[in-house]
């Protein structure tokens, strides 16, 4: 991946997200019930605790679940819910090993079209419909992964106007605009 992402708003964490498809998937998985920056800095924090510069899908998939949960729970915790999120991350890695030979980028590399890619993302443990659509939009908007029909498959998150999700965050200003959009949606509901 040649693009520098700014989802964690921390240089080292963003560098890992930018070079590691696995870190990016894990960050997206962690992006729930915590601020986006904290979620996307989680993969870097985990890599540091493992004493690595990168994350290894097979290592995480085969790790003792209690050890992984302990790494997630170390202060500061990787996530607000370290035990359950450690389990989800391990399930994600196990799925990637089983279905994609441990290569996270294979999820999107061989997708035939937007619907195929959306189905692959929805099949990932911890990825519901909205998360899958946001991730598909992130791939298309920021990483140039644009199989035919990707915008349509991403739904509202694929739109080129507005700041709806992490897919639209490229700097501090766009992060604030995305937050304003979410506050406005909450106010209206």
């Amino acid at each position: 991946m040649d693009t520098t992402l700014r989802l964690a708003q921390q240089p080292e964490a963003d560098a890992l997200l930018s070079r590691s498809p696995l870190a990016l998937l894990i960050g997206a998985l962690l992006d729930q019930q915590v601020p986006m920056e904290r979620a996307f800095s989680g993969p870097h924090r985990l890599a540091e605790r493992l004493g690595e510069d990168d994350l290894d899908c097979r290592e995480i998939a085969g790790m003792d679940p209690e050890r992984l949960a302990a790494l997630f729970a170390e202060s500061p915790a990787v996530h607000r819910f370290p035990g359950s999120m450690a389990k989800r991350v391990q399930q994600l890695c196990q799925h990637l090993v089983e279905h994609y030979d441990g290569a996270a980028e294979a999820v999107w590399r061989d997708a035939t079209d937007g619907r195929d890619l959306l189905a692959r993302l929805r099949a990932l443990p911890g990825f519901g419909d909205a998360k899958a659509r946001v991730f598909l939009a992130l791939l298309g908007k920021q990483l140039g992964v644009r199989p035919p029909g990707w915008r349509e498959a991403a739904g509202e998150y694929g739109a080129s106007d507005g700041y709806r999700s992490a897919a639209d965050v490229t700097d501090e200003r766009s992060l604030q605009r995305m937050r304003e959009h979410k506050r406005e949606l909450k106010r209206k509901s």
Side-chain angles (χ1 to χ4, degrees):
M1 301 187 318
D2 294 332
T3 301
T4 301
L5 300 169
R6 304 272 187 247
L7 301 170
Q9 301 283 304
Q10 296 174 7
E12 290 116 3
D14 283 327
L16 177 60
L17 296 171
S18 298
R19 73 174 179 270
S20 170
L22 176 60
L24 187 58
L25 275 174
I26 290 173
L29 174 66
L30 295 174
D31 191 15
Q32 56 188 18
Q33 299 183 347
V34 295
M36 183 194 80
E37 308 93 309
R38 180 172 176 195
F40 281 99
S41 65
H44 181 256
R45 188 169 286 144
L46 179 59
E48 285 183 321
R49 292 176 185 175
L50 290 167
E52 304 291 336
D53 291 330
D54 205 344
L55 296 171
D56 182 295
C57 191
R58 291 182 187 285
E59 178 184 2
I60 296 169
M63 191 176 287
D64 173 62
E66 290 180 18
R67 178 173 177 251
L68 185 58
L71 290 173
F72 265 71
E74 271 182 38
S75 186
V78 171
H79 193 275
R80 180 177 171 197
F81 302 107
S84 62
M85 295 313 286
K87 183 177 179 179
R88 284 187 180 176
V89 166
Q90 187 165 48
Q91 290 169 339
L92 172 65
C93 289
Q94 289 167 341
H95 180 89
L96 292 171
V97 167
E98 181 180 340
H99 297 280
Y100 297 100
D101 198 30
E105 68 276 7
V107 173
W108 53 86
R109 182 182 57 219
D110 304 326
T112 57
D113 60 26
R115 287 188 319 218
D116 179 38
L117 180 50
L118 181 60
R120 289 169 179 229
L121 291 168
R122 281 181 180 153
L124 297 174
F127 277 67
D129 185 64
K131 187 177 297 286
R133 289 179 191 274
V134 167
F135 196 82
L136 194 155
L138 174 65
L139 289 171
K141 290 178 177 182
Q142 296 198 41
L143 299 177
V145 177
R146 298 176 179 142
W150 74 272
R151 280 194 192 274
E152 295 79 11
E156 69 177 299
Y157 304 108
S160 58
D161 64 324
Y163 296 88
R164 292 171 177 82
S165 70
D168 302 304
V169 174
T170 57
D171 56 21
E172 178 66 31
R173 183 172 175 262
S174 57
L175 172 63
Q176 295 311 319
R177 292 183 77 181
M178 185 261 309
R179 287 205 167 115
E180 289 168 14
H181 173 77
K182 289 188 180 242
R183 279 193 295 271
E184 184 64 21
L185 288 177
K186 243 185 192 176
R187 189 183 64 76
K188 289 179 179 178
S189 62

